[in-house]
Amino acid sequence: MVKVNVDMASSFIRAVLPRLACRHLKIGNNCNGRYLYGCNKRWVSSGSDLVQVEQDDSDNEIVVLKMNVKPVNACTAEFNNAMTKLIKDLDADEQSKGLILTSTLPNVFSAGLQLTALHGKSYDEIKEYFSTFQTMAHTLFTSRLATVAAINGHAIAGGCVIALCCEYRVMAEGKFHNGLNEVIVGIPMPAWVSAYTVYALGTNTAEKVILSGKKHTPREALQVGLVDQVVPPDDLIQVSKNILSDLIKVGDYPRRLSKERLRKELLMFSL
Ligand SMILES: CCCCCCCCCCCCC/C=C/C(=O)SCCNC(=O)CCNC(=O)[C@H](O)C(C)(C)COP(=O)(O)OP(=O)(O)OC[C@H]1O[C@@H](n2cnc3c(N)ncnc32)[C@H](O)[C@@H]1OP(=O)(O)O
């Protein structure tokens, strides 16, 4: 278990992190409410317009979940909580067997944490915000469902983490980036994110990916293992469905128990 000096972490978060991150990204503070957009698709129990769900196969076994937080799927606390609720609801629904995670936005899978949410907030508020993201990621990582990320655009930092929580990652060809740029924007990588990255990429590659902070093209992401497959954009969802169909062919009980045994050890990591 990694130990951190909480006072140091607290000062760092309040004083340095929001400034560093937002200076790097050239983004402002005033984003309240701008992400709340509606959509005309069918909704299943997310209780929010920020996550769109389609159960469009005849057996309702495969769920397509679309992140819908305009303009870049920054992970607001409301979004994180809606995702957590949804995944828990789907986990509890015996009919659901597999989940495809993608985005309604044409060029962005997710830009990661909502950096603007850190401005002017107290240590406790920031900690609470981080915990909504971590809870969402843990819930996805340990979901009993088979999970495929259909990465239809940029997947940066927390966006890349969301994809890493899935069992299989397919990325669309295009001028998109995929990577863990936390060290570049001034965020020391939390141990749990490192653990997930090591789980997906292996220790050596994970270290290189995390410490470089590099944003990879789809081909580069394939080479380092951030994604498992790169396909033309038009094929993304169908390829993801095909993969998911194969994944859920395996007996449900041995599959879910094995997944649980493989992944639960990683929940010991916090910061
Ligand atoms: C308790 C103790 C704690 C201890 C401390 C430990 C910390 C623990 C933290 C847990 C960390 C988990 C790991 C996750 C980390 C992160 O996710 S950090 C986030 C990093 N994200 C990025 O660097 C992505 C930045 N964005 C981009 O690169 C681009 O926007 C894009 C995604 C490639 C899309 O490009 P494009 O289509 O050209 O759009 P833009 O014009 O750039 O952006 C449109 C508007 O969206 C705003 N925006 C972009 N990203 C964010 C964001 N992440 N948050 C909020 N807002 C964002 C951007 O400013 C634009 O806004 P306007 O100018 O107002 O239009």
Side-chain angles (χ1 to χ4, degrees), residues 1-9 123 188-192 268-271:
M1 184 77 87
V2 174
K3 290 198 169 69
V4 288
N5 179 324
V6 174
D7 288 340
M8 276 178 59
Y123 172 74
M189 190 61 99
W192 67 268
M268 65 179 279
F269 291 96
S270 56
L271 263 185

Side-chain angles (χ1 to χ4, degrees), residues 9 12-13 17 24-28 31 34-35 71-72 74 108 110-116 123 127 130 133 154 156-159 161 181-182 185 187-190 192-193 215 271:
F12 175 80
I13 291 169
L17 193 151
H24 172 78
L25 297 168
K26 299 185 180 65
I27 52 185
C31 291
R34 59 180 293 193
Y35 297 118
V72 290
V108 184
S110 168
L113 292 186
Q114 187 199 21
L115 291 168
T116 45
Y123 172 74
K127 193 173 158 196
F130 283 150
F133 180 79
H154 300 287
I156 313 289
V161 174
N181 69 337
E182 279 81 348
V185 299
I187 297 179
M189 190 61 99
W192 67 268
V193 177
K215 294 191 275 189
L271 263 185

Side-chain angles (χ1 to χ4, degrees), residues 11-248:
S11 317
F12 175 80
I13 291 169
R14 277 186 282 118
V16 183
L17 193 151
R19 258 189 300 129
L20 273 179
C22 288
R23 191 168 56 199
H24 172 78
L25 297 168
K26 299 185 180 65
I27 52 185
N29 304 346
N30 185 16
C31 291
N32 290 346
R34 59 180 293 193
Y35 297 118
L36 302 173
Y37 284 76
C39 182
N40 294 325
K41 303 281 182 180
R42 179 180 167 202
W43 302 99
V44 181
S45 74
S46 74
S48 160
D49 287 358
L50 307 175
V51 189
Q52 179 184 328
V53 182
E54 293 170 24
Q55 280 173 301
D56 58 359
D57 61 317
S58 52
D59 298 330
N60 274 351
E61 289 186 335
I62 292 181
V63 178
V64 182
L65 192 155
K66 297 181 178 179
M67 298 177 278
N68 186 45
V69 191
K70 293 180 177 71
V72 290
N73 280 331
C75 301
T76 63
E78 293 79 7
F79 165 80
N80 296 336
N81 292 335
M83 279 274 287
T84 300
K85 177 184 181 323
L86 242 170
I87 298 163
K88 284 185 175 170
D89 285 351
L90 291 169
D91 271 346
D93 170 27
E94 283 302 317
Q95 210 175 354
S96 304
K97 299 219 171 354
L99 172 68
I100 293 172
L101 183 56
T102 189
S103 152
T104 58
L105 312 176
N107 296 313
V108 184
F109 180 75
S110 168
L113 292 186
Q114 187 199 21
L115 291 168
T116 45
L118 305 175
H119 277 283
K121 295 284 165 43
S122 67
Y123 172 74
D124 285 344
E125 287 169 327
I126 292 174
K127 193 173 158 196
E128 170 58 27
Y129 167 64
F130 283 150
S131 81
T132 65
F133 180 79
Q134 185 170 356
T135 300
M136 182 262 287
H138 282 0
T139 306
L140 179 59
F141 187 74
T142 55
S143 167
R144 71 161 183 83
L145 303 174
T147 50
V148 175
I151 306 168
N152 60 321
H154 300 287
I156 313 289
C160 180
V161 174
I162 292 173
L164 286 171
C165 290
C166 295
E167 292 164 44
Y168 200 95
R169 289 165 290 284
V170 192
M171 186 166 185
E173 290 164 352
K175 292 185 177 171
F176 310 130
H177 285 114
N178 186 328
L180 297 167
N181 69 337
E182 279 81 348
V183 294
I184 304 287
V185 299
I187 297 179
M189 190 61 99
W192 67 268
V193 177
S194 298
Y196 284 13
T197 313
V198 166
Y199 184 81
L201 274 56
T203 309
N204 192 269
T205 309
E207 184 175 276
K208 288 187 174 65
V209 165
I210 290 169
L211 297 186
S212 72
K214 183 176 170 181
K215 294 191 275 189
H216 304 81
T217 64
R219 290 284 155 200
E220 291 167 344
L222 182 63
Q223 275 165 10
V224 296
L226 280 171
V227 301
D228 299 292
Q229 207 170 332
V230 175
V231 300
D234 288 348
D235 298 345
L236 185 68
I237 294 300
Q238 193 52 54
V239 168
S240 300
K241 281 184 180 170
N242 295 345
I243 289 160
L244 203 49
S245 297
D246 281 347
L247 291 178
I248 65 179

